[in-house]
Amino acid sequence: MTDVLIVGAGPTGLTLACDLARRGLAVRIVDKSPGHPRSSRAKGPDPRTLEVLEDLGVVEAVLAAGSAPLPMRKYRDGVPVADADPYAGSAPTPDAPYDRGRLIAQWRLEEILRDRLAGYGMAVETGTEVVGLTDDGTAVTVALADGPDVRARYVVGCDGARSRVRKLLGVPFEGGTAEDQVMVCGDVEIDPGVLDRGLWHQWFDEDGAVMLCPVPGTPTGWWFQASPERDADGRPLAPSADGFRRLFARHTRLPAARLTGATLLSTYRVNVRMVDRYRVGRVLLAGDAAHVHAIAGGLGMNTGIQDAFNLGWKLAQVVRGRAGTDLLDTYEEERLPVAAWTLEFTSERLRATLEAIGKPGGGLDSAITSSAGGPGRDYRWSSLARPGGDGALRSGDRAPDAPCAVAATGEPTRLFRILAGPHLTVLGFGAGTERALRDAAAAHGDAVRAVRVYGAGDPEPGTGAALPDSLHDREGLASAAYGAGRDTVVVIRPDNHVGLVSHTGGFDAVHRYLEVLDGARGPDPTSVAGMVDGTGKG
């Protein structure tokens, strides 16, 4: 029997598949498309998603294949009127290594994730359409359009805004479509040298707009977005290559023939919809299957990837018998409010952008704020966020990074390298935490990485006395980031969110909290699961 069947092989489904595969689960990922799409679509991961991709071991490939966000050049009546760089002056900080996202075609990101999945011996099963679901309380029987039924302990629908899984569950997709807010999109080829590929070009005129952003890794490829052509009655016309050339010539004042090709053409309407629940029995929803919103701010793909990262470890713990099924309830508890915030935020940013482009010099930079590009939402409201911590960092927050050194060798490292992988992490600041760290390691084995963090004033650990993953925090940046006083223990969840901050000498709360997340009851004997650290980062 399959542990988890993932329906939909976009970035959300692939992220979940990679996360579950590195945990040793028996995973299948299917997609009804006959082949892998080549559409550029989403423009790339934001800073928090880059942290997720680093944890999965693919961020270096993503950084190499993509480019930094580009300055934007705004035009009016064919004339440049303003340049804007929304990230001017920003820089990485010790606790946040990515201060901006990355431009990369969605098809290229999907290739990188599929390559990662192939390293676990798994591949997407294309041309495989789900047509029925039957949940008997112990497993889900999945009917396929062509092929034998599949039995899976859990099913996750990552199959987009038109999700078949969501429809089979009968889950409402409440919201609306703004019929008057229409855009045509596609991938186009433009003769070399016609436009500067170091800029995102944006023409906003009284009668419409064209936006052209170069696709990284291609010599002549561009993302094309534009106001549609309309018929005599004002109805938007379907996109076509000839229509794209006319729009290109009208707004750029360049010869239409310079646009030499247009493919993967589509019409986009602003949809703002979300589900009222993420789980029905043994079937769950993630990504666009659960929420869609205005594209302003570029949060669509990123929200889906972060859904998957929140769900993956919880699903694995339940399948492996290391946690009760109520852990899955926290997926909806944590991610549903994030979806609601995202719908509200992107709708507000769209309003601000539409207002801005009505004036010369306005552009898509109006959609970019620190909220849109920051390191992600916290879960302070979650039942998994235990009381404790009286500083800026609280339970439920994203765990910060910090430069450190490996205590045994002095080699420079970062906290994110220690957090990376399918385990819980317990950080101990101060000599009084060592008993709690050793108890956690003994009780939970590979499921927990216990890390003693030595400060600048701490004595050097004696030979053989230090825990294997001990770190030196000589600059005090880790201690500062975590608000650690004398003898502080911090439990960090596998999705790199703080679960518990404890300053109590006995640290009984640490033991009780770890029992919730990893009860150490042993794996499900009918599962093939086993812990695998797929990061290659130790």
Side-chain angles (χ1 to χ4, degrees):
M1 181 187 296
T2 298
D3 287 332
V4 181
L5 176 71
I6 300 168
V7 184
T12 300
L14 289 168
T15 296
L16 182 60
C18 288
D19 197 20
L20 295 176
R22 68 175 176 168
R23 299 172 190 278
L25 268 65
V27 180
R28 290 180 65 178
I29 178 169
V30 303
D31 197 289
K32 69 177 182 180
S33 298
H36 302 305
R38 293 284 294 183
S39 174
S40 298
R41 290 184 288 179
K43 289 186 175 64
D46 65 15
R48 174 56 182 155
T49 296
L50 287 173
E51 294 178 0
V52 172
L53 296 174
E54 178 173 355
D55 195 286
L56 294 176
V58 298
V59 76
E60 291 181 1
V62 171
L63 295 176
S67 73
L70 300 176
M72 300 178 183
R73 175 159 294 171
K74 283 77 69 72
Y75 301 76
R76 196 76 163 191
D77 299 323
V79 178
V81 293
D83 287 356
D85 182 353
Y87 299 99
S90 69
T93 58
D95 65 321
Y98 307 105
D99 67 310
R100 62 195 70 192
R102 198 74 175 168
L103 283 178
I104 182 173
Q106 182 171 321
W107 61 263
R108 183 68 185 102
L109 176 61
E110 290 174 356
E111 278 187 343
I112 291 169
L113 289 169
R114 286 197 302 270
D115 287 345
R116 189 61 167 166
L117 194 60
Y120 301 113
M122 299 181 190
V124 175
E125 300 173 39
T126 55
T128 305
E129 184 177 5
V130 171
V131 296
L133 298 170
T134 304
D135 184 348
D136 64 11
T138 60
V140 183
T141 300
V142 182
L144 303 178
D146 184 13
D149 291 353
V150 176
R151 289 274 287 171
R153 287 177 173 79
Y154 289 91
V155 173
V156 185
C158 304
D159 49 341
R162 296 183 176 88
S163 171
R164 175 65 66 86
V165 172
R166 186 188 66 241
K167 293 173 182 176
L168 289 170
L169 292 176
V171 174
F173 206 36
E174 299 293 345
T177 301
E179 295 292 346
D180 59 329
Q181 294 177 343
V182 184
M183 183 169 61
V184 290
C185 311
D187 287 11
V188 302
E189 297 289 327
I190 297 175
D191 284 336
V194 172
L195 292 171
D196 184 347
R197 290 183 63 84
L199 296 167
W200 185 349
H201 301 270
Q202 302 166 15
W203 292 265
F204 295 108
D205 298 322
E206 294 289 342
D207 62 343
V210 163
M211 293 152 277
L212 283 165
C213 183
V215 179
T218 68
T220 58
W222 297 75
W223 287 294
F224 182 102
Q225 298 167 287
S227 305
E229 295 184 301
R230 295 182 182 269
D231 64 17
D233 296 321
R235 292 186 295 262
L237 297 176
S240 67
D242 285 341
F244 274 26
R245 290 188 182 94
R246 287 191 293 269
L247 289 166
F248 174 78
R250 180 193 307 167
H251 294 288
T252 69
R253 277 61 169 182
L254 294 167
R258 294 294 196 176
L259 195 155
T260 59
T263 58
L264 299 165
L265 312 184
S266 64
T267 298
Y268 169 81
R269 287 178 171 82
V270 175
N271 279 285
V272 180
R273 301 177 184 273
M274 63 180 288
V275 297
D276 61 358
R277 55 194 181 276
Y278 274 35
R279 178 186 174 203
V280 178
R282 289 178 170 264
V283 185
L284 303 103
L285 299 169
D288 286 356
H291 45 75
V292 293
H293 47 79
I295 60 174
L299 297 181
M301 179 190 73
N302 291 288
T303 306
I305 287 175
Q306 291 164 36
D307 282 350
F309 200 54
N310 181 286
L311 175 60
W313 70 274
K314 297 173 181 178
L315 199 50
Q317 289 296 86
V318 172
V319 168
R320 299 175 65 244
R322 307 287 294 196
T325 57
D326 55 351
L327 183 61
L328 292 179
D329 294 335
T330 68
Y331 168 57
E332 176 182 304
E333 178 190 0
E334 293 179 346
R335 295 305 295 174
L336 194 63
V338 171
W341 175 88
T342 302
L343 265 64
E344 181 178 354
F345 175 81
T346 54
S347 295
E348 188 279 326
R349 285 294 88 200
L350 177 61
R351 288 191 294 270
T353 301
L354 292 175
E355 180 180 346
I357 64 177
K359 304 171 185 176
L364 300 186
D365 50 309
S366 301
I368 299 174
T369 70
S370 58
S371 296
R377 316 313 306 162
D378 66 69
Y379 304 131
R380 290 185 179 184
W381 65 84
S382 171
S383 60
L384 292 181
R386 294 293 191 265
D390 51 8
L393 187 76
R394 304 287 296 276
S395 298
D397 288 352
R398 159 198 166 271
D401 195 12
C404 296
V406 178
T409 65
E411 177 186 0
T413 189
R414 296 162 47 217
L415 277 182
F416 274 6
R417 290 183 178 271
I418 297 296
L419 303 183
H423 54 267
L424 290 147
T425 305
V426 183
L427 301 178
F429 298 84
T433 67
E434 291 201 11
R435 173 68 181 273
L437 294 174
R438 294 185 187 280
D439 287 350
H444 299 275
D446 289 344
V448 166
R449 178 168 287 178
V451 182
R452 169 77 160 88
V453 183
Y454 289 85
D458 287 336
E460 295 286 328
T463 303
L467 288 155
D469 292 313
S470 296
L471 298 173
H472 271 304
D473 179 31
R474 293 192 175 94
E475 298 177 69
L477 294 172
S479 177
Y482 285 84
R486 182 177 177 82
D487 295 344
T488 298
V489 172
V490 182
V491 179
I492 302 172
R493 302 169 5 171
D495 60 349
N496 292 5
H497 278 265
V498 175
L500 174 72
V501 180
S502 178
H503 303 289
T504 307
F507 298 117
D508 290 339
V510 173
H511 170 74
R512 292 193 300 270
Y513 187 67
L514 290 175
E515 283 292 309
V516 171
L517 301 189
D518 185 72
R521 291 181 292 277
D524 180 344
T526 62
S527 172
V528 298
M531 294 293 287
V532 178
D533 185 347
T535 66
K537 293 182 178 179

